[in-house]
Amino acid sequence: MALPVAGTFKPYRPKPSTFREAYIRMGFSDELREHFGTNYRILRRWVDEEGYQEIHAARRDYLTRTRWPNGAPGNRKRRAAPQIRHV
């Protein structure tokens, strides 16, 4: 394994122009990692560069419109069990 010349560094891989759309569609998944041929550390850096709060909200809106028509899944109050009336 060759070491880099002293005083040099390998520059960060730039964020692709299609990253935002791909992240909104795929989320932070293995599919996204394979799509861009990179690892999770670079994906996390790109998410930070894009703005975590904004891109996360955009993904949540996308999922609400497409996969969760009744709102996001999560902990919901369970419906009380029906009461059996003894006669």
Side-chain angles (χ1 to χ4, degrees), residues 9-40:
F9 65 96
K10 186 175 179 181
Y12 285 140
R13 182 175 172 186
K15 180 181 62 163
S17 60
T18 60
F19 176 72
R20 182 178 178 85
E21 293 79 23
Y23 178 85
I24 290 171
R25 194 176 69 251
M26 297 179 214
F28 198 87
S29 64
D30 287 339
E31 181 184 6
L32 183 70
R33 185 180 54 78
E34 291 171 5
H35 177 75
F36 288 113
T38 189
N39 60 46
Y40 76 94

Side-chain angles (χ1 to χ4, degrees), residues 34-72:
E34 291 171 5
H35 177 75
F36 288 113
T38 189
N39 60 46
Y40 76 94
R41 291 183 307 274
I42 293 175
L43 292 178
R44 288 185 66 169
R45 183 170 47 84
W46 290 346
V47 168
D48 289 341
E49 288 177 9
E50 191 69 36
Y52 173 77
Q53 297 291 336
E54 297 169 8
I55 200 167
H56 185 69
R59 172 145 172 86
R60 192 159 192 81
D61 291 343
Y62 168 77
L63 290 175
T64 301
R65 286 192 318 271
T66 58
R67 295 186 187 170
W68 304 331
N70 297 326

